[in-house]
Amino acid sequence: MKAKERKRAHITINAEECKGCCACVEFCPEKQIGVSKKLNTRGYFPAAVNGVRQRCTGCAVCQVVCPEMAIVVVRDG
Amino acid sequence: MGKKQLLRGNEAVGEAAVRAGCRFYFGYPITPQNELPEYMARRMPEVGGTFIQSESELSAINMVLGASVTGARAMTSSSSPGISLKQEGISFMAAMELPGVVVNIIRGGPGLGNIAPAQSDYFQATRGGGHGDYRTIVLAPASVQELADLTHDAFDLADRYRTPVVILADGMIGQMMEPVEFRKPVVDALPEKSWALRGARNRRSRFIRSLILDVDLEEEHNWKLYRKYQRIQNNEVRWDEFMTDDAATAVVAYGTAARIAKGAIIRAREKGIPAGLFRPVTLWPFPMKQLKRLAERLKTILVFEMSTGQMLEDVKLAVEGAAPVEFHGRPGGVIPTPAEVLRVISRVHGRAAKAKQDKPG
Amino acid sequence: MRKLEPRPATLKDAAFHYCAGCGHSIAHRVIAEVIHEMGIADRTIGVPPAGCAVLAYNYFDVDMTEAPHGRGAAVATGIKRAFPEGVVFTYQGDGDLAAIGTAEIIHAANRGERITAIFINNAVYGMTGGQMAPTTLLNMRTTTSPAGRDARREGYPIRVCELLAHFDGACYIERTAVNSPRNIRRTKKAVRKAFQTQIDDLGFSLVEILSPCPTNWKMKPMDAWKWIDEVMSVQYPIGVIKDTTGDTSDNAG
């Protein structure tokens, strides 16, 4: 799926399950994910979706690389 | 009634195991028990069983562990140094409550020792042998027939109590040929094992493990095993007595030593010495109460082992001072003669009689 | 609208205790996905190691049995011989498989046991605090090679896949990694192929998975993931090391 085809999709990251490894940050092709400045209750800075306008294509690479299975991908199309 | 066959002890173990429903044998060559894996290599394919000559004795006990996990009756065998290698696996099986049968055809030790018969693995067998708070049932036959019978019983006991069972024989019993009558094969009547792992079909998955990090839970598990061992102690003690009804001196011996002692006792009786034999068959659970009862009527006890004295300690524990305990031992694979044991019985009996004479009042 | 849930049915609903960025978490998930997709959960029996994954039975929702350290291949042999219709796999680390369990894995491979070994290679002993492993690279510092692994003193890193490929009973051997989306997908395919090898009764199969250990490598997770590409996979080349299954199609199984 090319980035330009931009099907509508979004992800949710469970901040409590995230251990801040940043794999999703590293591998998201659209660079949609960053690191939250707020600690979760386990002491990690969890990943969080960047920006107001999501450019998520639903490629689910973030889900493939997430060790904690903290990301749910929703393909709206 | 089956027919009697003339078989070597090692082979009798194999045939008895097959008839008890054992279909998995894993072992490694070591003298003086090689006839057993060789017998199983021929016999297992005949009954659709599995024989693997494993890469080591260590591997073999782990293969037994694996087969046992699925509910199968599995066994391994070795001799002293190889049994040392199995201790880790036996400890795990005890902790995981897995049945299995381990046959030790003892040879001279420690270390590489020699290949002659000995009884120097008593501590190893009866004190668990590996690490942790556990015991294994230990059966000590004194003839090829008894070896076959106890092998069959070992599988039943292992399954009933979910614990490893050790058969402790020595090289003499393993090698000698005597007539044996085997029991009928029981493959169809094997006990159900609801705890076994055969894939989580129509049930939740489960796991079998011995790692219990929570100390309170681990303590609970240890007491659970302890209570099981108490039940075994209450129900499974076996022993034999010969001419003890009017004995003043009793020899306590097992296995080949007991056979030699019996010969000595018969000759002692001919010489007017009231000697008898107390022969433990289960070395664990040791016949503590039974020996104590006997000791209360005796002038002296002579423990006779083909070692430097291991069962000696259990005898002293059992007797609790009710009678003096003497010891005669020959380690290193030496097989004493009945004449030698007779000399010791005479000496010990004479000493006890004199002591009574010398006592005031 | 389609929601993609990340957790396969064959993983219990438990949070992993593994470190941030640890390869175990990914490997567990990938294996569980394969078990689920192949429909074999009700006849799979797994054998975890001693090591960080000793509690793997808290995660995999299939029958599992502990094995003494290093003995997994022997225990799995006993299981498979007694339950041949099962799918039996070991899950072992570099101490479990390449140090204490070397004899067992070699002989299981040599006998062509119909089991699958999943070998998690992170070049260090994780659970016990970062000691040297047989797969530790030269010059790598660990708590028992504090000056860096020196060949003269400590010997060389062992390439397990190449070692086991030598044995005729070993049928399918592949080395993969879990440090990128591409490698993770490759790992899943390799695991599936390995299980299929067993199911097709062809012989012994092993998948070596280069796995990051950020904690004991003393790196941030993503630096550890990169280190696998830049350094580790030079010593341990990724790819199919041996395939005598006769079926090299991607759609195997």
Side-chain angles (χ1 to χ4, degrees):
Chain A
M1 187 185 303
K2 294 189 185 138
K4 288 197 175 140
E5 288 172 12
R6 244 174 253 179
K7 296 229 172 91
R8 284 162 51 91
H10 67 275
I11 65 169
T12 56
I13 302 176
N14 185 318
E16 281 304 306
E17 288 175 0
C18 175
K19 290 177 184 162
C21 76
C22 297
C24 57
V25 175
E26 176 77 22
F27 288 104
C28 172
E30 299 297 319
K31 297 288 163 230
Q32 285 290 278
I33 308 174
V35 180
S36 170
K37 289 191 171 39
K38 190 165 176 290
L39 284 171
N40 67 13
T41 60
R42 284 144 124 220
Y44 296 106
F45 287 109
V49 179
N50 274 339
V52 177
R53 259 195 63 217
Q54 285 197 14
R55 288 189 4 222
C56 178
T57 62
C59 73
V61 163
C62 55
Q63 199 176 64
V64 167
V65 301
C66 176
E68 309 309 320
M69 297 174 288
I71 300 180
V72 175
V73 177
V74 182
R75 289 176 179 159
D76 304 322
Chain B
M1 281 292 131
K3 68 175 210 290
K4 280 198 201 279
Q5 303 175 46
L6 192 64
L7 274 187
R8 197 189 296 269
N10 289 332
E11 295 175 338
V13 173
E15 184 58 29
V18 164
R19 285 168 185 250
C22 173
R23 289 295 176 269
F24 298 92
Y25 174 88
F26 311 104
Y28 186 84
I30 179 171
T31 310
Q33 55 91 62
N34 295 324
E35 292 80 2
L36 175 49
E38 288 166 358
Y39 185 85
M40 291 309 220
R42 290 192 309 275
R43 190 79 173 97
M44 277 301 182
E46 289 174 3
V47 295
T50 297
F51 165 84
I52 298 183
Q53 181 179 301
S54 54
E55 54 274 22
S56 70
E57 288 91 344
L58 179 54
S59 266
I61 187 68
N62 282 282
M63 292 178 188
V64 168
L65 191 160
S68 180
V69 155
T70 71
R73 286 194 160 184
M75 90 185 301
T76 183
S77 65
S78 186
S79 178
S80 316
I83 301 291
S84 289
L85 289 178
K86 294 183 193 294
Q87 294 308 316
E88 170 197 69
I90 295 172
S91 168
F92 272 75
M93 287 178 70
M96 293 159 81
E97 300 202 75
L98 292 173
V101 175
V102 180
V103 182
N104 182 3
I105 308 294
I106 310 176
R107 54 189 261 170
L112 198 51
N114 58 30
I115 57 172
Q119 294 185 320
S120 33
D121 299 345
Y122 181 95
F123 282 151
Q124 179 192 61
T126 60
R127 265 79 177 135
H131 62 286
D133 259 325
Y134 73 96
R135 289 286 194 267
T136 55
I137 297 173
V138 181
L139 306 173
S143 68
V144 176
Q145 178 66 59
E146 195 171 31
L147 178 54
D149 291 337
L150 291 178
T151 297
H152 198 120
D153 290 343
F155 286 98
D156 290 338
L157 288 167
D159 280 352
R160 184 178 317 148
Y161 292 102
R162 287 184 61 182
T163 194
V165 175
V166 173
I167 297 175
L168 208 62
D170 56 61
M172 179 90 124
I173 295 179
Q175 290 293 320
M176 67 192 185
M177 296 186 77
E178 289 184 327
V180 192
E181 198 176 301
F182 291 106
R183 299 183 199 166
K184 280 181 16 204
V186 293
V187 187
D188 294 330
L190 292 181
E192 271 283 305
K193 292 175 183 175
S194 60
W195 50 265
L197 302 184
R198 294 183 77 83
R201 173 162 293 159
N202 299 322
R203 62 163 170 81
R204 304 193 68 159
S205 69
R206 45 175 182 253
F207 52 87
I208 298 180
R209 55 94 174 92
S210 64
L211 176 68
I212 304 174
L213 291 168
D214 181 304
V215 298
D216 295 321
L217 291 177
E218 174 74 300
E219 179 180 21
E220 209 175 282
H221 184 64
N222 270 272
W223 288 125
K224 177 190 178 202
L225 293 177
Y226 177 85
R227 287 192 295 273
K228 171 163 71 175
Y229 301 140
Q230 283 195 310
R231 282 199 304 279
I232 296 173
Q233 282 175 304
N234 292 335
N235 297 323
E236 305 298 342
V237 167
R238 299 184 195 195
W239 82 104
D240 195 34
E241 293 184 42
F242 174 70
M243 298 188 120
T244 53
D245 290 341
D246 62 340
T249 295
V251 178
V252 183
Y254 69 95
T256 291
R259 289 173 76 121
I260 297 166
K262 203 170 181 179
I265 284 161
I266 291 169
R267 289 176 212 201
R269 286 282 179 167
E270 285 164 8
K271 295 177 79 170
I273 298 173
L277 171 69
F278 183 97
R279 180 172 78 87
V281 176
T282 52
L283 300 180
W284 194 89
F286 192 81
M288 293 277 180
K289 290 202 283 271
Q290 293 80 0
L291 181 54
K292 171 88 185 274
R293 260 202 306 271
L294 175 63
E296 281 158 355
R297 320 189 252 110
L298 294 174
K299 298 233 178 28
T300 192
I301 288 177
L302 171 63
V303 177
F304 168 47
E305 299 177 73
M306 287 155 64
S307 73
T308 57
Q310 297 189 14
M311 183 182 63
L312 172 62
E313 296 190 6
D314 277 346
V315 171
K316 287 184 171 174
L317 272 173
V319 161
E320 288 182 311
V325 176
E326 306 265 5
F327 172 74
H328 181 67
R330 298 298 300 274
V334 169
I335 303 170
T337 59
E340 173 182 329
V341 178
L342 171 61
R343 279 198 298 278
V344 181
I345 291 174
S346 304
R347 193 167 60 234
V348 157
H349 178 76
R351 234 193 336 257
K354 187 166 187 299
K356 186 167 191 239
Q357 254 179 343
D358 292 347
K359 258 204 212 141
Chain C
M1 179 176 98
R2 236 183 90 211
K3 217 177 184 191
L4 302 177
E5 294 288 347
R7 186 184 293 274
T10 39
L11 273 186
K12 295 178 183 174
D13 196 18
F16 288 134
H17 72 281
Y18 303 117
C19 300
C22 170
H24 278 311
S25 309
I26 312 256
H28 281 25
R29 190 194 79 232
V30 155
I31 294 166
E33 285 171 2
V34 169
I35 291 173
H36 176 64
E37 287 163 21
M38 293 178 86
I40 52 176
D42 64 357
R43 58 187 174 111
T44 297
I45 301 186
V47 185
C52 287
V54 70
L55 299 172
Y57 43 71
N58 285 341
Y59 305 123
F60 288 101
D61 198 0
V62 297
D63 280 355
M64 293 199 115
T65 178
E66 186 183 88
H69 190 27
R71 315 296 168 216
V75 170
T77 293
I79 296 173
K80 182 76 185 196
R81 293 298 189 116
F83 182 51
E85 61 269 36
V87 176
V88 181
F89 74 98
T90 68
Y91 185 103
Q92 302 178 260
D94 34 52
D96 208 84
L97 187 145
I100 185 171
T102 312
E104 286 79 6
I105 198 75
I106 281 177
H107 287 277
N110 189 49
R111 287 190 303 265
E113 295 294 338
R114 272 56 170 153
I115 61 175
T116 300
I118 307 291
F119 171 43
I120 306 293
N121 177 2
N122 64 4
V124 75
Y125 285 1
M127 188 192 67
T128 43
Q131 295 82 18
M132 191 184 87
T135 50
T136 295
L137 304 184
L138 289 178
N139 304 315
M140 199 172 154
R141 287 176 201 275
T142 68
T143 62
T144 48
S145 60
R149 183 174 193 162
D150 172 70
R152 186 74 176 82
R153 222 176 28 233
E154 283 113 17
Y156 299 85
I158 295 179
R159 278 182 284 266
V160 165
C161 285
E162 289 78 354
L163 168 68
L164 294 178
H166 162 78
F167 298 97
D168 293 341
C171 196
Y172 187 77
I173 299 192
E174 182 171 353
R175 181 184 287 115
T176 69
V178 286
N179 65 332
S180 67
R182 178 159 175 260
N183 282 340
I184 292 170
R185 291 194 183 106
R186 260 184 117 128
T187 299
K188 184 169 173 174
K189 250 188 176 158
V191 169
R192 192 185 181 101
K193 172 84 181 187
F195 282 161
Q196 194 61 49
T197 300
Q198 178 181 158
I199 291 168
D200 291 344
D201 195 29
L202 297 174
F204 173 86
S205 55
L206 178 138
V207 179
E208 175 177 341
I209 303 176
L210 301 182
S211 182
C213 181
T215 300
N216 289 301
W217 295 355
K218 309 214 182 320
M219 298 176 188
K220 295 219 271 283
M222 288 303 103
D223 291 337
W225 287 37
K226 279 195 193 74
W227 193 77
I228 289 179
D229 282 335
E230 290 160 8
V231 182
M232 212 180 158
S233 55
V234 175
Q235 172 70 29
Y236 302 113
I238 286 175
V240 175
I241 311 298
K242 181 176 188 183
D243 182 357
T244 57
T245 61
D247 177 1
T248 51
S249 80
D250 285 351
N251 294 325

